[in-house]
Amino acid sequence: MPAKSKEKLGIGVIGCGNISMTYLRNAALFGGIELRACADISADMAALRAKEYGIRALGVDALLADPEIDLVLNLTIPAAHFDISFSALSAGKHVFTEKPLATSASDGRRLVAEAAKRGLLLGSAPDTFLGAAGRRARRLMDEGAIGRPVTGTAFMMGRGMEHWHPNPQFYYQPGGGPVFDMGPYYLTMLVNLLGPVERVMAMATRGQEE
């Protein structure tokens, strides 16, 4: 295993499921960070990812207590986001979590307050609005290319998470579903382009009986 750099931000990954491979693979593209350990509710899954990427497999508590971990990357299911992120902040670690930040606004505010109290950084996916398309749209709007924007809209269509995700159960539990799981991509882009949300209106229907 390569020697640990004291000048790099040590990353510990909690949650070694489907999305973790994207983060673990792309980590090599960033010079200022270093993968150091991973943990999962399944010890076998953590061991597999550790072997694939040359890092240590630890239990969650051991990873949170590890002095070589500066930032916890929270890739657990949505219902576990708050507990893992709060525990990481309490252990003095910076946190970046997959979306949503938490499954309720009150829990999200608790995380923000805890990070501020401890002087720690807290971030949440998605960061896709920082991609090429989002930045170009932002620049064109700033330059007045489309005049004064008055509205924005976004749509998501799909036949179900179970048609591609290897473990889709989380999608149909509290904290999952299209609004929590996919909505952040569209809402973040709209907020970035149009500004903060002032009012919310919602309506829903069920297309068929269960």
Side-chain angles (χ1 to χ4, degrees), residues 126-135 189 192:
D127 60 2
T128 48
F129 73 97
L130 296 171
R135 287 185 286 121
M189 183 68 80
N192 181 53

Side-chain angles (χ1 to χ4, degrees), residues 55-172:
I55 57 180
R56 293 173 294 141
L58 300 173
V60 172
D61 290 342
L63 188 149
L64 292 176
D66 194 319
E68 290 189 345
I69 303 302
D70 304 305
L71 181 147
V72 168
L73 183 55
N74 184 358
L75 306 181
T76 59
I77 61 172
H81 282 183
F82 172 80
D83 289 340
I84 293 296
S85 293
F86 194 88
S87 295
L89 293 170
S90 298
K93 314 295 186 185
H94 304 293
V95 172
F96 186 86
T97 179
E98 257 299 332
K99 39 67 179 168
L101 180 64
T103 58
S104 71
S106 59
D107 279 348
R109 293 187 186 100
R110 285 184 64 191
L111 291 175
V112 171
E114 187 69 15
K117 182 179 76 174
R118 295 178 178 273
L120 296 168
L121 298 177
L122 172 66
S124 177
D127 60 2
T128 48
F129 73 97
L130 296 171
R135 287 185 286 121
R136 179 169 174 77
R138 176 74 267 171
R139 184 173 71 252
L140 288 171
M141 291 181 68
D142 289 343
E143 293 171 352
I146 65 169
R148 182 175 68 88
V150 295
T151 190
T153 186
F155 298 89
M156 185 199 85
M157 300 179 69
R159 58 180 183 149
M161 182 74 72
E162 64 274 13
H163 292 282
W164 69 270
H165 199 288
N167 298 292
Q169 296 88 344
F170 78 92
Y171 195 76
Y172 302 100

